[in-house]
Amino acid sequence: MTAERPEQPVPDYVPGHDLLAGKVVVVTAAAGAGIGAAVVRRVLEEGAKAVVFSDTHARRLAEAEEALAAEFGAERVRQLVCDVTDDAQVTALLDAAEEFGGVDIMINNAGLGGTASVLEMTDEQWSRVLDITLTGTFRCVRAAGQRMSQAGKKGVIVNNASVIGWRAQEGQAHYAAAKAGVMALTRCSAIDLAPHGIRVNAVSPSLAMHPFLAKVTSDELLHELKQREAFGRAAEPWEVANVMVFLASDYASYMTGEVVAVSSQQA
């Protein structure tokens, strides 16, 4: 029997170093306490001129904006309800960034999961996960790429994929297919946008802990998932956000079309 893997302590939070100084950043699915919310905070800490962030939950968005404005200044934050299945709402989100000078960095975090065997999965379940997670990311990549190229900006797009796009997991056929699609979309759109000086990369997290995950996942399953990780713990959302910020920064200036695993998961 394999020995219990000890849970390693969470490292100290890394302070900002102005990696995104002066940039206008747009982030989807950023209300609450998950990766998107961690990215918004991280880009502000890294000196972004402004961040426009979205979600489908108006109340949580307003609460997040109020808290961030109090900490970082109201002139640097703007929230807007956006459903990435609606192209008009995606357009409105990019329009909001024009108020600050236009999008420099687009971080596509919106996605929807669920658990169902392919034997019982309905067309509606399949289509909804694909429309939000894959097609929604496509809509945002297209919209941001158009804005950046028209403005002559050498912008950056960062997508959120998942290790499930590489590795099989029971009941995750729709989500795995969507995230594998995000990886392929990242690689191909990077080639399309390279002549415009626009970089496109993705992160592929394994297990990132946040309150919603804890709410919908049993303690037994969480323990099992943590035991698959080399450090015996889930990533903190800010640890994933750090890699997304790196990809958005000039430190990754020669990287495009790459999918970077943010994972300690064993093969």
Side-chain angles (χ1 to χ4, degrees):
M1 180 178 292
T2 304
E4 185 84 358
R5 188 176 295 277
E7 183 169 340
Q8 300 298 317
V10 175
D12 292 338
Y13 192 81
V14 181
H17 291 82
D18 284 338
L19 297 184
L20 305 180
K23 302 296 185 181
V24 177
V25 185
V26 177
V27 186
T28 63
I35 293 172
V39 170
V40 171
R41 171 169 292 277
R42 184 82 272 184
V43 300
L44 288 166
E45 292 168 344
E46 292 292 351
K49 174 184 177 181
V51 59
V52 179
F53 63 101
S54 73
D55 211 298
T56 56
H57 303 280
R59 178 185 56 80
R60 290 202 317 225
L61 271 173
E63 290 172 352
E65 181 182 43
E66 182 179 4
L68 291 166
E71 185 173 354
F72 296 101
E75 73 282 358
R76 297 179 65 199
V77 294
R78 168 78 187 279
Q79 57 86 9
L80 191 71
V81 172
C82 178
D83 180 346
V84 297
T85 67
D86 185 332
D87 195 52
Q89 293 189 37
V90 172
T91 297
L93 181 63
L94 273 296
D95 285 344
E98 296 294 337
E99 299 174 19
F100 301 99
V103 61
D104 296 298
I105 298 165
M106 181 82 199
I107 297 179
N108 297 312
N109 179 63
L112 177 69
T115 301
S117 166
V118 293
L119 298 176
E120 289 86 35
M121 188 179 294
T122 65
D123 284 5
E124 193 280 331
Q125 287 175 305
W126 172 271
S127 297
R128 180 150 177 78
V129 169
L130 269 289
D131 196 20
I132 292 173
T133 307
L134 176 55
T135 310
T137 300
F138 156 70
R139 293 184 186 101
C140 292
V141 169
R142 178 179 61 189
Q146 288 171 345
R147 298 296 178 101
M148 292 170 182
S149 60
Q150 289 164 4
K153 290 191 173 188
K154 296 186 183 301
V156 184
I157 298 171
V158 181
N159 299 323
N160 194 356
S162 169
V163 294
I164 289 179
W166 286 316
R167 301 164 184 168
Q169 187 169 316
E170 184 179 1
Q172 296 295 310
H174 47 1
Y175 188 65
K179 289 300 190 181
V182 169
M183 294 178 182
L185 170 66
T186 298
R187 290 188 286 264
C188 293
S189 58
I191 301 303
D192 289 343
L193 293 174
H196 301 279
I198 300 167
R199 298 189 295 107
V200 188
N201 292 292
V203 296
S204 179
S206 55
L207 180 64
M209 181 53 63
H210 54 84
F212 180 74
L213 177 64
K215 184 178 179 180
V216 301
T217 309
S218 69
D219 291 341
E220 292 77 16
L221 178 56
L222 278 177
H223 179 74
E224 178 186 338
L225 292 173
K226 288 179 180 179
Q227 284 298 297
R228 298 177 187 175
E229 302 291 328
F231 298 133
R233 66 172 179 88
E236 295 295 314
W238 60 263
E239 291 181 294
V240 179
N242 283 351
V243 182
M244 299 176 95
V245 165
F246 161 72
L247 291 173
S249 77
D250 290 342
Y251 279 113
S253 60
Y254 198 67
M255 290 181 67
T256 198
E258 294 295 335
V259 180
V260 180
V262 187
S263 171
S264 65
Q265 189 167 323
Q266 302 174 88

